[in-house]
Amino acid sequence: MNDVAVISTIMAQIAALNSYNKIVDELLGNFAKIYSTVKQTESDSHVNGDFATIKAFNMNNVAVISTIMAQTVALDSYNEMVDDLLGNFAKINFTVKQTGNFTAMERERLFKVVAQNNSIFIDMVSKLGLKDRSDTAWNMSQYETVYEAMKGEFEINGRFKHIQFKLDLIQQNAKFFLEILHNQKTNTLEWIIIW
């Protein structure tokens, strides 16, 4: 790109940001209700359990705060899904413990649990960007304080590790059961060859 194209692109982005700022100004009343209080101050930005203090209400601060708020809500949802998966896995364990065998239903349930387990982990990493830094905080260091403080306040990393532990537990147990299924099938095929 030449300098004129770069400048015109930047000017277009600035114009878009200005129009977004008008929309943001209208939405800030609702935004402040999401997180108990968002206050504007002249001093440095900080976050505590009751409110976030930011230097300016602008699109970048809204992007940083809304990203963390979305992640915290999504983590709650994923945690419930993983707890349901653990419940399903407990049922599989109970049935195998009682009968000593996998029924066709348990096999199907096991495969679904494995698929959901993989899907949840991929979604948390790729769609939510839990391991990625906020583009705004990455590109503009003045937003890093709010980003990191809110991540700490809502325990994003700790909650992710807790869910990841549960997913790993499911994966390890599933791997064990899948190996048992594989060995059963191998034994059956060996008996077929022998006879």
Side-chain angles (χ1 to χ4, degrees):
M1 281 179 121
N2 61 25
D3 291 341
V4 174
V6 171
I7 291 172
S8 65
T9 302
I10 292 171
M11 294 301 288
Q13 290 174 344
I14 290 171
L17 183 59
N18 287 334
S19 67
Y20 289 132
N21 280 337
K22 291 175 187 173
I23 295 169
V24 169
D25 288 341
E26 293 172 11
L27 297 174
L28 282 176
N30 293 332
F31 175 71
K33 292 176 190 172
I34 294 171
Y35 191 66
S36 297
T37 308
V38 178
K39 299 177 182 180
Q40 190 170 353
T41 183
E42 296 297 321
S43 62
D44 290 335
S45 299
H46 69 278
V47 176
N48 68 27
D50 297 326
F51 60 89
T53 304
I54 55 178
K55 285 187 177 183
F57 282 115
N58 59 36
M59 195 63 185
N60 292 324
N61 273 318
V62 170
V64 168
I65 294 171
S66 62
T67 296
I68 298 299
M69 297 303 295
Q71 287 176 344
T72 195
V73 169
L75 280 171
D76 286 342
S77 175
Y78 282 124
N79 192 48
E80 288 178 21
M81 281 191 246
V82 171
D83 287 343
D84 289 344
L85 282 178
L86 282 171
N88 285 336
F89 212 82
K91 290 175 188 174
I92 295 170
N93 280 331
F94 180 76
T95 303
V96 172
K97 178 181 166 187
Q98 294 297 317
T99 64
N101 289 321
F102 273 102
T103 64
M105 193 164 106
E106 268 69 37
R107 279 190 202 118
E108 184 179 327
R109 190 182 297 166
L110 177 65
F111 293 141
K112 285 182 180 181
V113 166
V114 169
Q116 273 187 296
N117 186 59
N118 294 339
S119 176
I120 288 172
F121 186 74
I122 289 168
D123 286 351
M124 284 194 316
V125 172
S126 66
K127 291 182 181 174
L128 289 181
L130 289 173
K131 290 299 188 181
D132 300 333
R133 288 183 60 185
S134 161
D135 289 340
T136 304
W138 178 263
N139 293 326
M140 295 174 261
S141 62
Q142 66 266 32
Y143 301 105
E144 181 73 20
T145 304
V146 173
Y147 177 75
E148 289 299 328
M150 288 198 69
K151 263 184 99 163
E153 182 65 34
F154 288 102
E155 301 172 346
I156 298 294
N157 291 332
R159 290 166 58 207
F160 174 75
K161 286 180 184 176
H162 183 70
I163 294 171
Q164 186 178 14
F165 173 78
K166 291 177 185 180
L167 291 172
D168 288 343
L169 179 66
I170 293 169
Q171 186 176 32
Q172 289 170 2
N173 284 300
K175 194 180 293 185
F176 171 73
F177 281 128
L178 290 171
E179 286 176 9
I180 289 173
L181 285 172
H182 176 71
N183 287 337
Q184 287 176 348
K185 189 169 190 168
T186 301
N187 287 341
T188 303
L189 291 174
E190 286 176 7
W191 278 106
I192 290 171
I193 291 172
I194 290 172
W195 289 102

